[in-house]
Amino acid sequence: MSRTGQYALLFVSLAFVAAGIGMAATGAEGGWPAILFFGVCAAVAAWQLWPRLIEGETKDPGELLAGFPGPVILRMGRGKPALLLAATLVFWGVLLWLTLHRPFDPWLTPILWAGVAVTGLSLPLLALLLVNGASLVLTAEGFEARHVWRRRFVRWRDIGDFSVGEIPPSYIPIVIYDDVTASGALARANAAISGRNAALPDSYGLAPEDLAELMNGWRGRALSGR
């Protein structure tokens, strides 16, 4: 999403928050769900516009590259998973409220219940991410992405250059690359959407552009034997 779209989302969300406050003040049903839902939308838009508010100060990719051959460990901050957990909890609660308070509809009600179930299942995973965190370990042989309980090691010789892409529907910038060892439906879907078959799961306190620069610089040094 462009910055213009993010500003528009922030403005519209704040307008609906104000409307929800007015509804809650008059005792109208739906005031508090509107405040919570659009409040979270405003928080996510603000995070996209000013990520340092949530993720803290960014690291310098040049200083990190000076740590070659490593290992150098990049860690995900706690602010991002905390925001995602809070947002998902609010969305789950609003979906549940809508499902329980609207008249039964043979088409819409099953969809709402499915949304409640899927969103509810994601809450424990986000809680584990907040507790266990995630990290990226850079060495001369490759990098290891650690995400909750998953660990995946990728060799520099098996991948191509890194770049920044956006994957719908969130359009949050992520670092993408091609991995010759990646296969399966997920790799094909990634390639169809972004043009690359693999992506890093987080930016680990760096701007996505800075992380791509760091990964390309580290890969270049590793492959050249420096």
Side-chain angles (χ1 to χ4, degrees):
M1 182 184 295
S2 66
R3 289 190 70 83
T4 301
Q6 291 165 355
Y7 275 113
L9 175 61
L10 178 61
F11 176 79
V12 171
S13 298
L14 291 176
F16 277 104
V17 168
I21 293 174
M23 293 171 62
T26 60
E29 187 178 21
W32 280 107
I35 294 171
L36 292 173
F37 180 84
F38 289 105
V40 166
C41 291
V44 171
W47 165 44
Q48 290 298 298
L49 288 166
W50 307 289
R52 301 281 73 81
L53 293 175
I54 299 296
E55 301 178 33
E57 292 299 321
T58 185
K59 304 178 181 69
D60 180 74
E63 293 180 1
L64 294 171
L65 185 57
F68 183 87
V72 166
I73 303 177
L74 308 178
R75 301 186 187 278
M76 174 192 289
R78 299 295 184 183
K80 182 177 178 180
L83 175 61
L84 293 175
L85 178 60
T88 304
L89 182 61
V90 168
F91 290 150
W92 176 81
V94 171
L95 281 174
L96 182 62
W97 183 87
L98 284 173
T99 306
L100 296 176
H101 284 77
R102 64 172 290 113
F104 178 81
D105 185 305
W107 296 101
L108 184 58
T109 300
I111 296 175
L112 288 174
W113 276 117
V116 169
V118 172
T119 308
L121 289 174
S122 67
L123 289 172
L125 298 178
L126 290 171
L128 283 174
L129 179 60
L130 177 61
V131 173
N132 294 338
S135 62
L136 186 71
V137 183
L138 306 179
T139 68
E141 292 75 32
F143 67 88
E144 182 179 62
R146 303 172 180 174
H147 204 74
V148 191
W149 64 82
R150 294 177 54 195
R151 295 191 177 195
R152 183 169 184 264
F153 183 78
V154 179
R155 299 185 182 278
W156 299 116
R157 65 171 180 261
D158 293 332
I159 60 177
D161 290 339
F162 295 82
S163 61
V164 178
E166 296 180 341
I167 295 181
S170 64
Y171 292 97
I172 296 175
I174 60 171
V175 176
I176 56 178
Y177 61 96
D178 279 320
D179 184 350
V180 298
T181 67
S183 60
L186 180 59
R188 291 193 294 271
N190 288 337
I193 295 172
S194 68
R196 304 292 185 93
N197 67 2
L200 296 178
D202 193 68
S203 57
Y204 306 99
L206 281 79
E209 295 78 10
D210 289 343
L211 180 57
E213 176 188 340
L214 169 63
M215 299 298 284
N216 284 327
W218 198 288
R219 175 178 175 272
R221 291 192 179 193
L223 295 181
S224 66
R226 291 175 56 187

PDB file of all heavy atoms in Angstrom, residues 43-75:
ATOM      1  N   ALA A  43      -3.897   1.975  14.566  1.00  0.00           N
ATOM      2  CA  ALA A  43      -2.580   1.626  15.098  1.00  0.00           C
ATOM      3  C   ALA A  43      -1.725   0.936  14.045  1.00  0.00           C
ATOM      4  O   ALA A  43      -0.521   1.202  13.918  1.00  0.00           O
ATOM      5  CB  ALA A  43      -2.735   0.722  16.329  1.00  0.00           C
ATOM      6  N   VAL A  44      -2.333   0.034  13.259  1.00  0.00           N
ATOM      7  CA  VAL A  44      -1.595  -0.663  12.202  1.00  0.00           C
ATOM      8  C   VAL A  44      -1.159   0.327  11.124  1.00  0.00           C
ATOM      9  O   VAL A  44      -0.027   0.261  10.619  1.00  0.00           O
ATOM     10  CB  VAL A  44      -2.456  -1.785  11.603  1.00  0.00           C
ATOM     11  CG1 VAL A  44      -1.790  -2.379  10.366  1.00  0.00           C
ATOM     12  CG2 VAL A  44      -2.696  -2.878  12.647  1.00  0.00           C
ATOM     13  N   ALA A  45      -2.042   1.265  10.758  1.00  0.00           N
ATOM     14  CA  ALA A  45      -1.672   2.275   9.770  1.00  0.00           C
ATOM     15  C   ALA A  45      -0.530   3.143  10.276  1.00  0.00           C
ATOM     16  O   ALA A  45       0.404   3.462   9.529  1.00  0.00           O
ATOM     17  CB  ALA A  45      -2.888   3.136   9.421  1.00  0.00           C
ATOM     18  N   ALA A  46      -0.571   3.516  11.556  1.00  0.00           N
ATOM     19  CA  ALA A  46       0.506   4.319  12.136  1.00  0.00           C
ATOM     20  C   ALA A  46       1.817   3.542  12.151  1.00  0.00           C
ATOM     21  O   ALA A  46       2.895   4.107  11.904  1.00  0.00           O
ATOM     22  CB  ALA A  46       0.130   4.748  13.553  1.00  0.00           C
ATOM     23  N   TRP A  47       1.730   2.243  12.426  1.00  0.00           N
ATOM     24  CA  TRP A  47       2.935   1.397  12.402  1.00  0.00           C
ATOM     25  C   TRP A  47       3.546   1.368  11.007  1.00  0.00           C
ATOM     26  O   TRP A  47       4.763   1.443  10.850  1.00  0.00           O
ATOM     27  CB  TRP A  47       2.572   0.000  12.883  1.00  0.00           C
ATOM     28  CG  TRP A  47       3.600  -1.053  12.589  1.00  0.00           C
ATOM     29  CD1 TRP A  47       4.959  -0.951  12.749  1.00  0.00           C
ATOM     30  CD2 TRP A  47       3.358  -2.363  12.075  1.00  0.00           C
ATOM     31  NE1 TRP A  47       5.564  -2.125  12.375  1.00  0.00           N
ATOM     32  CE2 TRP A  47       4.607  -2.997  11.957  1.00  0.00           C
ATOM     33  CE3 TRP A  47       2.205  -3.055  11.717  1.00  0.00           C
ATOM     34  CZ2 TRP A  47       4.732  -4.299  11.485  1.00  0.00           C
ATOM     35  CZ3 TRP A  47       2.324  -4.358  11.262  1.00  0.00           C
ATOM     36  CH2 TRP A  47       3.579  -4.962  11.144  1.00  0.00           C
ATOM     37  N   GLN A  48       2.703   1.255   9.979  1.00  0.00           N
ATOM     38  CA  GLN A  48       3.209   1.236   8.612  1.00  0.00           C
ATOM     39  C   GLN A  48       3.850   2.574   8.228  1.00  0.00           C
ATOM     40  O   GLN A  48       4.842   2.607   7.503  1.00  0.00           O
ATOM     41  CB  GLN A  48       2.062   0.907   7.646  1.00  0.00           C
ATOM     42  CG  GLN A  48       1.558  -0.516   7.739  1.00  0.00           C
ATOM     43  CD  GLN A  48       2.642  -1.511   7.395  1.00  0.00           C
ATOM     44  OE1 GLN A  48       3.162  -1.538   6.289  1.00  0.00           O
ATOM     45  NE2 GLN A  48       3.016  -2.329   8.372  1.00  0.00           N
ATOM     46  N   LEU A  49       3.270   3.662   8.707  1.00  0.00           N
ATOM     47  CA  LEU A  49       3.799   4.980   8.371  1.00  0.00           C
ATOM     48  C   LEU A  49       5.071   5.300   9.159  1.00  0.00           C
ATOM     49  O   LEU A  49       6.019   5.877   8.609  1.00  0.00           O
ATOM     50  CB  LEU A  49       2.740   6.050   8.646  1.00  0.00           C
ATOM     51  CG  LEU A  49       1.565   6.092   7.677  1.00  0.00           C
ATOM     52  CD1 LEU A  49       0.438   6.948   8.239  1.00  0.00           C
ATOM     53  CD2 LEU A  49       2.013   6.623   6.315  1.00  0.00           C
ATOM     54  N   TRP A  50       5.084   4.934  10.431  1.00  0.00           N
ATOM     55  CA  TRP A  50       6.225   5.250  11.297  1.00  0.00           C
ATOM     56  C   TRP A  50       6.635   3.997  12.072  1.00  0.00           C
ATOM     57  O   TRP A  50       6.365   3.872  13.280  1.00  0.00           O
ATOM     58  CB  TRP A  50       5.852   6.375  12.261  1.00  0.00           C
ATOM     59  CG  TRP A  50       5.297   7.586  11.540  1.00  0.00           C
ATOM     60  CD1 TRP A  50       5.987   8.467  10.763  1.00  0.00           C
ATOM     61  CD2 TRP A  50       3.925   8.016  11.527  1.00  0.00           C
ATOM     62  NE1 TRP A  50       5.138   9.431  10.270  1.00  0.00           N
ATOM     63  CE2 TRP A  50       3.870   9.198  10.719  1.00  0.00           C
ATOM     64  CE3 TRP A  50       2.751   7.562  12.112  1.00  0.00           C
ATOM     65  CZ2 TRP A  50       2.687   9.889  10.488  1.00  0.00           C
ATOM     66  CZ3 TRP A  50       1.563   8.241  11.886  1.00  0.00           C
ATOM     67  CH2 TRP A  50       1.544   9.394  11.084  1.00  0.00           C
ATOM     68  N   PRO A  51       7.276   3.033  11.408  1.00  0.00           N
ATOM     69  CA  PRO A  51       7.586   1.748  12.053  1.00  0.00           C
ATOM     70  C   PRO A  51       8.481   1.879  13.271  1.00  0.00           C
ATOM     71  O   PRO A  51       8.439   1.041  14.162  1.00  0.00           O
ATOM     72  CB  PRO A  51       8.271   0.953  10.933  1.00  0.00           C
ATOM     73  CG  PRO A  51       8.729   1.975   9.936  1.00  0.00           C
ATOM     74  CD  PRO A  51       7.736   3.077  10.009  1.00  0.00           C
ATOM     75  N   ARG A  52       9.285   2.927  13.349  1.00  0.00           N
ATOM     76  CA  ARG A  52      10.178   3.080  14.496  1.00  0.00           C
ATOM     77  C   ARG A  52       9.408   3.289  15.794  1.00  0.00           C
ATOM     78  O   ARG A  52       9.937   3.055  16.880  1.00  0.00           O
ATOM     79  CB  ARG A  52      11.131   4.249  14.275  1.00  0.00           C
ATOM     80  CG  ARG A  52      12.020   4.126  13.039  1.00  0.00           C
ATOM     81  CD  ARG A  52      13.222   3.206  13.264  1.00  0.00           C
ATOM     82  NE  ARG A  52      12.899   1.790  13.315  1.00  0.00           N
ATOM     83  CZ  ARG A  52      12.708   1.022  12.245  1.00  0.00           C
ATOM     84  NH1 ARG A  52      12.758   1.533  11.041  1.00  0.00           N
ATOM     85  NH2 ARG A  52      12.452  -0.264  12.377  1.00  0.00           N
ATOM     86  N   LEU A  53       8.140   3.742  15.708  1.00  0.00           N
ATOM     87  CA  LEU A  53       7.333   3.912  16.913  1.00  0.00           C
ATOM     88  C   LEU A  53       7.127   2.578  17.624  1.00  0.00           C
ATOM     89  O   LEU A  53       7.044   2.518  18.856  1.00  0.00           O
ATOM     90  CB  LEU A  53       5.968   4.513  16.557  1.00  0.00           C
ATOM     91  CG  LEU A  53       5.960   5.954  16.037  1.00  0.00           C
ATOM     92  CD1 LEU A  53       4.548   6.338  15.620  1.00  0.00           C
ATOM     93  CD2 LEU A  53       6.486   6.909  17.107  1.00  0.00           C
ATOM     94  N   ILE A  54       7.044   1.498  16.849  1.00  0.00           N
ATOM     95  CA  ILE A  54       6.795   0.171  17.407  1.00  0.00           C
ATOM     96  C   ILE A  54       8.092  -0.624  17.541  1.00  0.00           C
ATOM     97  O   ILE A  54       8.325  -1.302  18.549  1.00  0.00           O
ATOM     98  CB  ILE A  54       5.795  -0.601  16.530  1.00  0.00           C
ATOM     99  CG1 ILE A  54       4.461   0.147  16.468  1.00  0.00           C
ATOM    100  CG2 ILE A  54       5.593  -2.019  17.053  1.00  0.00           C
ATOM    101  CD1 ILE A  54       3.761   0.269  17.794  1.00  0.00           C
ATOM    102  N   GLU A  55       8.954  -0.538  16.542  1.00  0.00           N
ATOM    103  CA  GLU A  55      10.112  -1.420  16.470  1.00  0.00           C
ATOM    104  C   GLU A  55      11.386  -0.810  17.047  1.00  0.00           C
ATOM    105  O   GLU A  55      12.418  -1.470  17.111  1.00  0.00           O
ATOM    106  CB  GLU A  55      10.339  -1.831  15.012  1.00  0.00           C
ATOM    107  CG  GLU A  55       9.147  -2.552  14.402  1.00  0.00           C
ATOM    108  CD  GLU A  55       9.359  -2.898  12.948  1.00  0.00           C
ATOM    109  OE1 GLU A  55      10.515  -3.183  12.572  1.00  0.00           O
ATOM    110  OE2 GLU A  55       8.383  -2.898  12.184  1.00  0.00           O
ATOM    111  N   GLY A  56      11.336   0.459  17.453  1.00  0.00           N
ATOM    112  CA  GLY A  56      12.520   1.083  18.024  1.00  0.00           C
ATOM    113  C   GLY A  56      13.476   1.605  16.963  1.00  0.00           C
ATOM    114  O   GLY A  56      13.162   1.639  15.770  1.00  0.00           O
ATOM    115  N   GLU A  57      14.669   2.006  17.398  1.00  0.00           N
ATOM    116  CA  GLU A  57      15.653   2.567  16.479  1.00  0.00           C
ATOM    117  C   GLU A  57      16.193   1.493  15.537  1.00  0.00           C
ATOM    118  O   GLU A  57      16.434   0.360  15.935  1.00  0.00           O
ATOM    119  CB  GLU A  57      16.805   3.199  17.265  1.00  0.00           C
ATOM    120  CG  GLU A  57      16.406   4.437  18.040  1.00  0.00           C
ATOM    121  CD  GLU A  57      15.906   5.539  17.136  1.00  0.00           C
ATOM    122  OE1 GLU A  57      16.478   5.714  16.040  1.00  0.00           O
ATOM    123  OE2 GLU A  57      14.939   6.223  17.509  1.00  0.00           O
ATOM    124  N   THR A  58      16.387   1.885  14.290  1.00  0.00           N
ATOM    125  CA  THR A  58      16.890   0.945  13.300  1.00  0.00           C
ATOM    126  C   THR A  58      18.389   0.749  13.455  1.00  0.00           C
ATOM    127  O   THR A  58      19.101   1.609  13.978  1.00  0.00           O
ATOM    128  CB  THR A  58      16.579   1.444  11.877  1.00  0.00           C
ATOM    129  OG1 THR A  58      16.984   0.451  10.920  1.00  0.00           O
ATOM    130  CG2 THR A  58      17.336   2.728  11.587  1.00  0.00           C
ATOM    131  N   LYS A  59      18.880  -0.394  12.994  1.00  0.00           N
ATOM    132  CA  LYS A  59      20.310  -0.689  13.029  1.00  0.00           C
ATOM    133  C   LYS A  59      20.962  -0.206  11.740  1.00  0.00           C
ATOM    134  O   LYS A  59      20.302  -0.013  10.730  1.00  0.00           O
ATOM    135  CB  LYS A  59      20.523  -2.195  13.210  1.00  0.00           C
ATOM    136  CG  LYS A  59      19.842  -2.773  14.435  1.00  0.00           C
ATOM    137  CD  LYS A  59      20.056  -4.265  14.502  1.00  0.00           C
ATOM    138  CE  LYS A  59      19.348  -4.878  15.712  1.00  0.00           C
ATOM    139  NZ  LYS A  59      17.890  -4.844  15.584  1.00  0.00           N
ATOM    140  N   ASP A  60      22.272  -0.037  11.781  1.00  0.00           N
ATOM    141  CA  ASP A  60      23.012   0.404  10.606  1.00  0.00           C
ATOM    142  C   ASP A  60      23.528  -0.815   9.842  1.00  0.00           C
ATOM    143  O   ASP A  60      24.298  -1.615  10.406  1.00  0.00           O
ATOM    144  CB  ASP A  60      24.184   1.293  11.016  1.00  0.00           C
ATOM    145  CG  ASP A  60      24.963   1.770   9.810  1.00  0.00           C
ATOM    146  OD1 ASP A  60      24.450   2.658   9.100  1.00  0.00           O
ATOM    147  OD2 ASP A  60      26.065   1.245   9.554  1.00  0.00           O
ATOM    148  N   PRO A  61      23.118  -1.007   8.577  1.00  0.00           N
ATOM    149  CA  PRO A  61      23.549  -2.203   7.844  1.00  0.00           C
ATOM    150  C   PRO A  61      25.051  -2.256   7.623  1.00  0.00           C
ATOM    151  O   PRO A  61      25.643  -3.337   7.574  1.00  0.00           O
ATOM    152  CB  PRO A  61      22.783  -2.099   6.513  1.00  0.00           C
ATOM    153  CG  PRO A  61      22.387  -0.672   6.394  1.00  0.00           C
ATOM    154  CD  PRO A  61      22.198  -0.173   7.787  1.00  0.00           C
ATOM    155  N   GLY A  62      25.713  -1.082   7.491  1.00  0.00           N
ATOM    156  CA  GLY A  62      27.161  -1.073   7.317  1.00  0.00           C
ATOM    157  C   GLY A  62      27.889  -1.617   8.532  1.00  0.00           C
ATOM    158  O   GLY A  62      28.862  -2.380   8.407  1.00  0.00           O
ATOM    159  N   GLU A  63      27.443  -1.237   9.717  1.00  0.00           N
ATOM    160  CA  GLU A  63      28.061  -1.745  10.942  1.00  0.00           C
ATOM    161  C   GLU A  63      27.846  -3.241  11.089  1.00  0.00           C
ATOM    162  O   GLU A  63      28.735  -3.975  11.537  1.00  0.00           O
ATOM    163  CB  GLU A  63      27.504  -1.007  12.153  1.00  0.00           C
ATOM    164  CG  GLU A  63      27.880   0.472  12.216  1.00  0.00           C
ATOM    165  CD  GLU A  63      27.306   1.152  13.439  1.00  0.00           C
ATOM    166  OE1 GLU A  63      26.636   0.460  14.241  1.00  0.00           O
ATOM    167  OE2 GLU A  63      27.518   2.369  13.591  1.00  0.00           O
ATOM    168  N   LEU A  64      26.665  -3.715  10.720  1.00  0.00           N
ATOM    169  CA  LEU A  64      26.394  -5.153  10.793  1.00  0.00           C
ATOM    170  C   LEU A  64      27.249  -5.915   9.787  1.00  0.00           C
ATOM    171  O   LEU A  64      27.759  -7.000  10.101  1.00  0.00           O
ATOM    172  CB  LEU A  64      24.912  -5.410  10.531  1.00  0.00           C
ATOM    173  CG  LEU A  64      23.944  -4.873  11.592  1.00  0.00           C
ATOM    174  CD1 LEU A  64      22.509  -4.985  11.107  1.00  0.00           C
ATOM    175  CD2 LEU A  64      24.117  -5.626  12.907  1.00  0.00           C
ATOM    176  N   LEU A  65      27.427  -5.357   8.597  1.00  0.00           N
ATOM    177  CA  LEU A  65      28.238  -6.025   7.576  1.00  0.00           C
ATOM    178  C   LEU A  65      29.697  -6.121   8.013  1.00  0.00           C
ATOM    179  O   LEU A  65      30.401  -7.068   7.634  1.00  0.00           O
ATOM    180  CB  LEU A  65      28.119  -5.270   6.254  1.00  0.00           C
ATOM    181  CG  LEU A  65      28.815  -5.890   5.033  1.00  0.00           C
ATOM    182  CD1 LEU A  65      28.300  -7.306   4.784  1.00  0.00           C
ATOM    183  CD2 LEU A  65      28.618  -5.018   3.801  1.00  0.00           C
ATOM    184  N   ALA A  66      30.145  -5.161   8.818  1.00  0.00           N
ATOM    185  CA  ALA A  66      31.518  -5.202   9.315  1.00  0.00           C
ATOM    186  C   ALA A  66      31.757  -6.392  10.234  1.00  0.00           C
ATOM    187  O   ALA A  66      32.904  -6.745  10.506  1.00  0.00           O
ATOM    188  CB  ALA A  66      31.852  -3.900  10.051  1.00  0.00           C
ATOM    189  N   GLY A  67      30.666  -7.027  10.703  1.00  0.00           N
ATOM    190  CA  GLY A  67      30.797  -8.203  11.550  1.00  0.00           C
ATOM    191  C   GLY A  67      31.043  -9.483  10.786  1.00  0.00           C
ATOM    192  O   GLY A  67      31.121 -10.554  11.399  1.00  0.00           O
ATOM    193  N   PHE A  68      31.136  -9.440   9.453  1.00  0.00           N
ATOM    194  CA  PHE A  68      31.444 -10.634   8.664  1.00  0.00           C
ATOM    195  C   PHE A  68      32.797 -11.199   9.102  1.00  0.00           C
ATOM    196  O   PHE A  68      33.730 -10.444   9.346  1.00  0.00           O
ATOM    197  CB  PHE A  68      31.480 -10.263   7.171  1.00  0.00           C
ATOM    198  CG  PHE A  68      31.712 -11.432   6.255  1.00  0.00           C
ATOM    199  CD1 PHE A  68      30.650 -12.187   5.804  1.00  0.00           C
ATOM    200  CD2 PHE A  68      33.004 -11.785   5.874  1.00  0.00           C
ATOM    201  CE1 PHE A  68      30.872 -13.273   4.962  1.00  0.00           C
ATOM    202  CE2 PHE A  68      33.229 -12.871   5.046  1.00  0.00           C
ATOM    203  CZ  PHE A  68      32.157 -13.612   4.585  1.00  0.00           C
ATOM    204  N   PRO A  69      32.971 -12.501   9.235  1.00  0.00           N
ATOM    205  CA  PRO A  69      32.089 -13.595   8.820  1.00  0.00           C
ATOM    206  C   PRO A  69      31.074 -14.039   9.863  1.00  0.00           C
ATOM    207  O   PRO A  69      30.415 -15.052   9.689  1.00  0.00           O
ATOM    208  CB  PRO A  69      33.077 -14.726   8.537  1.00  0.00           C
ATOM    209  CG  PRO A  69      34.175 -14.497   9.536  1.00  0.00           C
ATOM    210  CD  PRO A  69      34.297 -13.009   9.651  1.00  0.00           C
ATOM    211  N   GLY A  70      30.980 -13.317  10.951  1.00  0.00           N
ATOM    212  CA  GLY A  70      29.960 -13.636  11.934  1.00  0.00           C
ATOM    213  C   GLY A  70      30.391 -14.692  12.932  1.00  0.00           C
ATOM    214  O   GLY A  70      31.576 -14.999  13.063  1.00  0.00           O
ATOM    215  N   PRO A  71      29.446 -15.281  13.624  1.00  0.00           N
ATOM    216  CA  PRO A  71      28.001 -15.059  13.423  1.00  0.00           C
ATOM    217  C   PRO A  71      27.497 -13.723  13.966  1.00  0.00           C
ATOM    218  O   PRO A  71      27.976 -13.262  14.993  1.00  0.00           O
ATOM    219  CB  PRO A  71      27.362 -16.223  14.178  1.00  0.00           C
ATOM    220  CG  PRO A  71      28.364 -16.556  15.241  1.00  0.00           C
ATOM    221  CD  PRO A  71      29.721 -16.299  14.662  1.00  0.00           C
ATOM    222  N   VAL A  72      26.563 -13.139  13.251  1.00  0.00           N
ATOM    223  CA  VAL A  72      25.848 -11.942  13.677  1.00  0.00           C
ATOM    224  C   VAL A  72      24.380 -12.313  13.810  1.00  0.00           C
ATOM    225  O   VAL A  72      23.816 -12.957  12.914  1.00  0.00           O
ATOM    226  CB  VAL A  72      26.028 -10.789  12.676  1.00  0.00           C
ATOM    227  CG1 VAL A  72      25.027  -9.675  12.945  1.00  0.00           C
ATOM    228  CG2 VAL A  72      27.450 -10.244  12.747  1.00  0.00           C
ATOM    229  N   ILE A  73      23.765 -11.929  14.912  1.00  0.00           N
ATOM    230  CA  ILE A  73      22.374 -12.295  15.171  1.00  0.00           C
ATOM    231  C   ILE A  73      21.505 -11.050  15.154  1.00  0.00           C
ATOM    232  O   ILE A  73      21.767 -10.087  15.884  1.00  0.00           O
ATOM    233  CB  ILE A  73      22.230 -13.020  16.531  1.00  0.00           C
ATOM    234  CG1 ILE A  73      23.123 -14.266  16.568  1.00  0.00           C
ATOM    235  CG2 ILE A  73      20.780 -13.404  16.785  1.00  0.00           C
ATOM    236  CD1 ILE A  73      23.092 -14.992  17.896  1.00  0.00           C
ATOM    237  N   LEU A  74      20.487 -11.060  14.320  1.00  0.00           N
ATOM    238  CA  LEU A  74      19.476 -10.006  14.276  1.00  0.00           C
ATOM    239  C   LEU A  74      18.215 -10.546  14.943  1.00  0.00           C
ATOM    240  O   LEU A  74      17.796 -11.664  14.655  1.00  0.00           O
ATOM    241  CB  LEU A  74      19.168  -9.609  12.831  1.00  0.00           C
ATOM    242  CG  LEU A  74      20.353  -9.243  11.946  1.00  0.00           C
ATOM    243  CD1 LEU A  74      19.870  -8.925  10.534  1.00  0.00           C
ATOM    244  CD2 LEU A  74      21.122  -8.085  12.526  1.00  0.00           C
ATOM    245  N   ARG A  75      17.620  -9.738  15.822  1.00  0.00           N
ATOM    246  CA  ARG A  75      16.454 -10.206  16.571  1.00  0.00           C
ATOM    247  C   ARG A  75      15.238  -9.331  16.293  1.00  0.00           C
ATOM    248  O   ARG A  75      15.362  -8.116  16.111  1.00  0.00           O
ATOM    249  CB  ARG A  75      16.747 -10.220  18.077  1.00  0.00           C
ATOM    250  CG  ARG A  75      17.923 -11.109  18.459  1.00  0.00           C
ATOM    251  CD  ARG A  75      18.073 -11.198  19.966  1.00  0.00           C
ATOM    252  NE  ARG A  75      19.287 -11.901  20.340  1.00  0.00           N
ATOM    253  CZ  ARG A  75      19.405 -13.227  20.384  1.00  0.00           C
ATOM    254  NH1 ARG A  75      18.356 -13.985  20.099  1.00  0.00           N
ATOM    255  NH2 ARG A  75      20.551 -13.792  20.730  1.00  0.00           N
TER     256      ARG A  75
END
